Amino acid sequence: MTRDLQGRTALVTGGGSGIGLACVRALAEAGAKVHVVDVAGPAAEAAADEVGGQAHVVDLTDPAELATLPSDVDVLVNNAGVQHVAPLPEFPPERFAFIQSLMVTAPFLLIRRCLPAMYARGWGRIVNMSSVHGLRASPYKAAYVAAKHALEGLSKVAALEGAEHGVTSNCVNPGYVRTPLVDGQIQAQADEHGVTPEDVLEQVLLRRAAIKRLIEPADVADLVVWLCGRHAGQLTGASLPVDGGWTAG
Ligand code: NAD
């Protein structure tokens, strides 16, 4: 692992768990000082303690709380997200609005907040944690698919505006990653259909992937660090699948 990010500062939302935690670790390993943002206080503190970073216990759906976060960072990783699975006629409108607030409005507010310092420095890296569901739809995930598709658009606009200021913006698009978010989905579907978690994994989650195993959080975090590294300056406005071939099919 290179120390490309020595002297740089990064902010990772949802940094207390799963992919965000892996990003916190990988960015710190690459030399960055990391701000760990999460609504789950103990998880944020533990992650920050582990890497010598700083925890910020913030609910990103509250713009007033979000406005307390540091704005002078070199790397912004918009990662926090949640899932809700329900058919459209039954999808709770307030849950839909909450998911757009967390997964679209908060990234917009953070990008808006962090760009001035990046522009002043002439360098910045925005990485938006999208999903295969930013590129493809699945039934029963209306809010999540809508939010990830919106994040794709936001990321491209940031790429176009940031280009002349040395700022890149990209999406990373994982398939199913072994995290608490996915463990919860596996168990919920196993309970609902009266099958084993292994059946759900093979017949539902990995059905569309060519490589029949879950992706590890560190696989995704490695790509995030690479996007911030010395060879990625020309890569912007892109969406990079880490999906075991899902979107190739
Ligand atoms: P996770 O549940 O392990 O972690 C999400 C983190 O976000 C948690 O620590 C949680 O406390 C935090 N969070 C939730 N609501 C928040 C709020 N209101 N304010 C601040 N923090 C909040 O999830 P994960 O699987 O690591 O997912 C991280 C991102 O990766 C999400 O955007 C998700 O959509 C995306 N993603 C995940 C997968 C996967 O298979 N796990 C696949 C593709 C994309």
Side-chain angles (χ1 to χ4, degrees):
M1 175 63 77
T2 62
R3 301 279 291 170
D4 272 4
L5 295 177
Q6 197 82 46
R8 301 282 190 197
T9 301
L11 185 152
V12 181
T13 69
S17 172
I19 296 171
L21 177 57
C23 290
V24 167
R25 288 175 173 150
L27 289 163
E29 201 180 324
K33 173 185 178 331
V34 186
H35 293 285
V36 182
V37 179
D38 208 293
V39 72
E45 306 279 358
D49 284 354
E50 183 187 319
V51 301
Q54 194 177 338
H56 302 267
V57 183
V58 160
D59 181 349
L60 290 162
T61 63
D62 181 340
E65 287 191 33
L66 186 148
T68 65
L69 292 172
S71 57
D72 188 0
V73 297
D74 302 288
V75 175
L76 168 63
V77 182
N78 282 312
N79 166 77
V82 295
Q83 180 61 274
H84 188 95
V85 180
L88 272 167
E90 290 153 34
F91 211 100
E94 59 286 354
R95 193 67 182 152
F96 186 92
F98 173 84
I99 286 177
Q100 308 317 305
S101 167
L102 176 61
M103 293 164 60
V104 183
T105 305
F108 159 70
L109 291 173
L110 284 169
I111 289 171
R112 184 179 181 280
R113 195 174 157 69
C114 294
L115 277 180
M118 291 179 180
Y119 286 180
R121 210 174 286 119
W123 195 92
R125 295 288 177 265
I126 298 168
V127 183
N128 299 301
M129 196 54 65
S130 182
S131 163
V132 286
H133 287 113
L135 307 171
R136 300 283 189 278
S138 290
Y140 315 125
K141 296 185 175 176
Y144 188 90
V145 171
K148 292 303 191 190
H149 277 69
L151 184 65
E152 295 278 328
L154 174 65
S155 182
K156 288 178 195 166
V157 173
L160 296 184
E161 292 188 22
E164 66 184 286
H165 305 281
V167 176
T168 68
S169 173
N170 291 287
C171 282
V172 171
N173 300 68
Y176 284 107
V177 183
R178 194 187 307 278
T179 69
L181 185 142
V182 163
D183 288 343
Q185 285 183 59
I186 294 173
Q187 197 55 56
Q189 292 208 25
D191 293 347
E192 191 180 325
H193 302 297
V195 297
T196 66
E198 290 71 29
D199 288 340
V200 174
L201 192 58
E202 280 168 28
Q203 290 160 29
V204 184
L205 269 58
L206 297 177
R207 191 174 52 85
R208 288 153 85 175
I211 300 174
K212 299 292 181 192
R213 59 184 152 77
L214 285 178
I215 297 149
E216 298 299 329
D219 299 338
V220 182
D222 268 4
L223 181 56
V224 171
V225 171
W226 183 81
L227 280 169
C228 303
R230 71 185 77 161
H231 301 299
Q234 284 281 9
L235 184 53
T236 195
S239 302
L240 304 175
V242 195
D243 64 358
W246 174 323
T247 49

